[in-house]
Amino acid sequence: MVGTYLGMPAFPEAARDAVRDERLRSNLTHATHTIRDKRAKAVAELPDWGRLRAAGAAIKDRTLRHLDHYLERLEESVTAAGGQVHWAADAREANRIVTRLVRETGEEEVVKVKSMATQEIGLNAALTAAGIRANETDLAELIVQLGDDLPSHILVPAIHRNRGEIRDIFAERMADWGRPAPEGLTDSPRDLAEAARLHLRQKFLNAKVGVSGANFMVAETGTMVVVESEGNGRMCLTLPETLISVVGIEKVVPTWRDLEVFLQLLPRSSTAERMNPYTSMWTGTTEGDGPRTFHLVLLDNGRTDTLADTVGRQALRCIRCSACLNVCPVYERAGGHAYGSAYPGPIGAILTPQLRGVASELDASLPYASSLCGACYEVCPVAIDIPEALVHLRERVVEGGEVTVRGTRTTVRPARGHAAERAAMRASRWALDHPGVLRAGQRVAGRARRLAPRRLPGPGRAWTDTRDIPALPAESFRDWWRRTREKPTRESGNGTKGAGR
Amino acid sequence: MRVALFVTCVNDTLYPRTGRAVVSLLERLGVEVEFPVEQSCCGQAQFNSGYRHETEPLVRRFARAFDGFDHIVAPSGSCAAMVRDNYPRIGAKARAEGRGSELADAAASVVPRTHELTEFLVDVLGVTDVGAYYPHSVTYHPTCHGLRMLGLGDRPTRLLRAVKGLELVDLPGAEECCGFGGTFAVKNSAVSSAMGADKARHITSTGAAAVCTVDNSCQMHIGGTLSRLGSPVRPVHIAEILASTEEEQW
Ligand code: SF4
């Protein structure tokens, strides 16, 4: 695995490889089931969870409806508190802004707080290209970075690694990035944590520039909020002289009071904690405390276009708790890398095809990466109906239609590779809309049933490779009903009543 | 009370026994059931694959076929969920596209009358003991659309517990999807098969003689996997258990 999502295969192929990887499967099953069960308990403790969830969804919806207003409000309050606000239309612009801001400090190194937005835009690669080293400080992100790997989970980016693998990565790679791992490092969690602590401490103390995202931004006060478990984020947010935060525009909430809802929803859904260990909040800059300079880079990168879609826009409510990943049976088996973006699992399957479009084979395959079992919707703390959005995006893939790209309404053509399926769907619909045809087909199949092979050729192989096909009955229900029940004349209405068996 | 059976295209073509079991069960409970021959398919495969426009004629056909009935009973959780959850969406989208309210009206007319079989038994008929006899151990797999979209809750297991002779065995990981998912089973066959194999392993571990669901499409996947893996557990639709009596086993 190399550190880029570019050129990755479509979901089914990547998932097929992952399914075969036994170690990955067992790492993932163990981790997701543990956290899944804990979440269920943490949520069950609150008798008003349903109302809290509805409130979270409603606050997000209201904010998104008036997003322009709240963003302007936010800009005013951040500026008034001594921060500087930058607007980035896409990933390139955001990377350019951050690179320039770091260069202006004269530094060649930054420490990073775990952030999804900077993963989304590939900031680390952009900074590296500009000769600036970005040091991840979240423990799991550190493991991923040292291993030249990609995150595979929103909350636990190294979920695909076990202790032994982490030990090896630390022992081999820490020296390339700073303080080496202690001699004789074992795979005990205590030892691994200590090695990371020593390695990172040096980074924190030397850092002049910190780069972060934010979980929430409060429009009325201009306050940024970062929620985390390790305290490493707090180090990066408080020690450096300059702090640069890259935040998606959908992260704004109107008022301080709104946080009350989300700070209950988020920890219980993500880490199954009643309250998360570290909640860092800052408002612009404060004399004699924390960074002297604060930059906020507001990131669009496809969000406004997503907002224009009445069904798909609910994905912007997401608070990145990752509960949907942890319950997803497809994620559990395919792993995070198969989703080909910083956003794996069910949320990635609906967010990526909106942020990036469905032009590439990978992005067009994402809406199909689901059995539509609905477990994700059930646990989502902001009630995103992920199955509904998936089906909606499948329609975009196969039928094309109107979308908004960079603010302009355009019509996209159906994705390639669906012609045979489209013809089959049309033909089956036609047969189903002509029950006489359906009945004739059933009879032919019934008569030929002894000829039915155990393994099917062509696309049917995908079924019969692992599953037997049911034996065809001699007589369809319809024919049975006609034979045993139907009287020659229709009774009232369009139903036919039966008499005797 | 006029009651129509929506047998579903999968049952009609592949599992007619299930349809016959529903008829037998309902008649035993004193319900005169009709089968409008104009019916065909709810359109779930088309809709869930993204072919919404191909679904529309089937929505119209459904509304036409079942016009005038007080209740429409489907022995399939996913087909009942298709009608109840997705027909209104199809109607709303057509309206938003400026094509009038015909489809929305069709949806509104059938949604409140459409019931999955166990809902009809428990909620409309008000029975949980249907007088069935089935002397086997059975484990119950709650299919996703029945569980999460329809919210069937404990209706199926209440019905099963009341069956004489039946021993209900808990299924580990019961609420996990079996991996069928319609075209998902073929488009993402590797993941689907891995999910199916895990489900089959759990089912076999119960030691039950049969695994019961409210949906033959999931059952086709579960049964096909069990049989390929050489498991002795046989799949059975809940209607066939509930239709069974001491005199007549299904
Ligand atoms: S979609 Fe919902 S469950 Fe998934 S990460 Fe976002 S908020 Fe959490």
Side-chain angles (χ1 to χ4, degrees), chain A residues 98-99 102-103 107-110 124 126-134:
Chain A
V98 178
T99 308
V102 178
R103 280 212 177 115
E107 293 296 319
E108 289 177 348
E109 208 162 326
V110 303
N124 292 8
L127 289 176
T128 308
I132 299 161
R133 179 178 260 202

Side-chain angles (χ1 to χ4, degrees), chain A residues 71-138:
Chain A
L71 287 173
E72 279 172 14
R73 187 77 219 280
L74 176 77
E75 182 179 30
E76 276 166 33
S77 31
V78 169
T79 311
Q84 296 171 49
V85 178
H86 312 261
W87 299 79
D90 55 21
R92 270 179 55 188
E93 190 174 4
N95 285 333
R96 212 162 45 225
I97 293 169
V98 178
T99 308
R100 175 172 55 80
L101 294 173
V102 178
R103 280 212 177 115
E104 282 169 9
T105 65
E107 293 296 319
E108 289 177 348
E109 208 162 326
V110 303
V111 284
K112 280 190 70 199
V113 184
K114 175 172 164 28
S115 125
M116 294 307 299
T118 60
Q119 292 285 1
E120 173 190 328
I121 61 175
L123 177 66
N124 292 8
L127 289 176
T128 308
I132 299 161
R133 179 178 260 202
N135 297 290
E136 293 290 351
T137 66
D138 172 83

Side-chain angles (χ1 to χ4, degrees), chain A residues 154 318-325 347 376 379-382 384 386:
Chain A
I154 291 177
C318 176
I319 55 172
R320 312 277 190 260
C321 72
S322 69
C324 57
L325 281 66
I347 180 62
C376 48
V379 298
C380 178
V382 285
I384 301 174
I386 295 178

Side-chain angles (χ1 to χ4, degrees), chain A residues 333 373 385 392 394-395 399 421 426 429 432-433 442 464 466-468 478 485 494 501, chain B residues 12-13 27 37 39-40 48 51-54 61 64 93 148 187 192-193 198 227-228 248:
Chain A
R333 286 156 185 100
C373 82
D385 191 338
H392 176 73
R394 289 175 184 188
E395 180 181 331
E399 293 197 342
E421 180 187 86
R426 210 161 276 167
R429 192 272 297 154
L432 291 166
D433 202 18
Q442 287 170 339
T464 56
T466 53
R467 293 156 282 216
D468 290 339
R478 197 174 286 274
R485 301 295 177 117
N494 43 15
R501 269 185 82 181
Chain B
D12 183 10
T13 308
E27 286 180 349
V37 292
Q39 66 177 276
S40 68
N48 282 347
Y51 298 91
R52 172 168 56 93
H53 292 107
E54 294 295 335
R61 168 171 291 279
R64 235 178 17 242
K93 276 194 171 180
R148 301 193 184 88
K187 280 182 196 286
S192 165
S193 300
D198 288 343
S227 134
R228 180 59 60 89
E248 192 181 16

Side-chain angles (χ1 to χ4, degrees), chain A residues 19-296:
Chain A
V19 165
R20 286 202 199 106
D21 185 338
E22 303 248 324
R23 178 152 73 166
L24 175 67
R25 284 271 304 277
S26 83
N27 289 357
L28 277 173
T29 300
H30 175 73
T32 55
H33 281 256
T34 309
I35 195 159
R36 179 187 303 184
D37 296 345
K38 280 206 221 153
R39 186 213 76 99
K41 281 201 201 91
V43 164
E45 281 182 354
L46 291 188
D48 62 344
W49 183 258
R51 283 163 61 194
L52 210 50
R53 182 175 183 247
I59 293 168
K60 283 283 182 181
D61 277 349
R62 175 163 47 87
T63 314
L64 289 167
R65 235 180 351 258
H66 308 288
L67 189 59
D68 49 347
H69 164 77
Y70 289 115
L71 287 173
E72 279 172 14
R73 187 77 219 280
L74 176 77
E75 182 179 30
E76 276 166 33
S77 31
V78 169
T79 311
Q84 296 171 49
V85 178
H86 312 261
W87 299 79
D90 55 21
R92 270 179 55 188
E93 190 174 4
N95 285 333
R96 212 162 45 225
I97 293 169
V98 178
T99 308
R100 175 172 55 80
L101 294 173
V102 178
R103 280 212 177 115
E104 282 169 9
T105 65
E107 293 296 319
E108 289 177 348
E109 208 162 326
V110 303
V111 284
K112 280 190 70 199
V113 184
K114 175 172 164 28
S115 125
M116 294 307 299
T118 60
Q119 292 285 1
E120 173 190 328
I121 61 175
L123 177 66
N124 292 8
L127 289 176
T128 308
I132 299 161
R133 179 178 260 202
N135 297 290
E136 293 290 351
T137 66
D138 172 83
L139 180 54
E141 292 284 3
L142 174 70
I143 296 164
V144 168
Q145 184 171 49
L146 295 178
D148 285 332
D149 199 354
L150 286 168
S152 70
H153 189 280
I154 291 177
L155 181 78
V156 203
I159 195 167
H160 55 290
R161 298 290 196 191
N162 62 22
R163 280 171 16 193
E165 294 174 280
I166 295 167
R167 193 215 76 91
D168 295 347
I169 292 171
F170 277 9
E172 280 161 35
R173 300 301 312 278
M174 266 185 173
D176 299 341
W177 287 80
R179 183 176 170 142
E183 283 292 315
L185 181 66
T186 75
D187 69 355
S188 82
R190 199 191 155 83
D191 264 21
L192 295 175
E194 183 61 13
R197 186 175 289 123
L198 295 171
H199 180 83
L200 290 173
R201 179 73 33 136
Q202 193 189 47
K203 305 268 179 207
F204 294 136
L205 294 175
N206 294 337
K208 296 282 185 294
V209 183
V211 174
S212 82
N215 295 93
F216 307 98
M217 314 185 277
V218 182
E220 72 173 352
T221 57
T223 306
M224 305 284 126
V225 184
V226 164
V227 171
E228 44 133 7
S229 300
E230 296 171 355
N232 295 353
R234 164 110 16 124
M235 296 286 223
C236 303
L237 296 167
T238 49
L239 292 174
E241 288 163 8
T242 302
L243 175 59
I244 305 168
S245 301
V246 182
V247 189
I249 52 175
E250 82 284 18
K251 298 280 159 221
V252 66
V253 295
T255 67
W256 186 263
R257 270 201 66 175
D258 297 321
L259 290 177
E260 172 200 332
V261 172
F262 295 107
L263 292 180
Q264 292 184 75
L265 288 173
L266 182 54
R268 286 181 197 259
S269 300
S270 61
T271 48
E273 288 165 311
R274 293 179 181 141
M275 191 181 164
N276 55 287
Y278 292 87
T279 303
S280 301
M281 299 181 170
W282 69 100
T283 307
T285 53
T286 306
E287 194 58 40
D289 182 17
R292 232 96 355 117
T293 314
F294 170 58
H295 296 279
L296 172 61

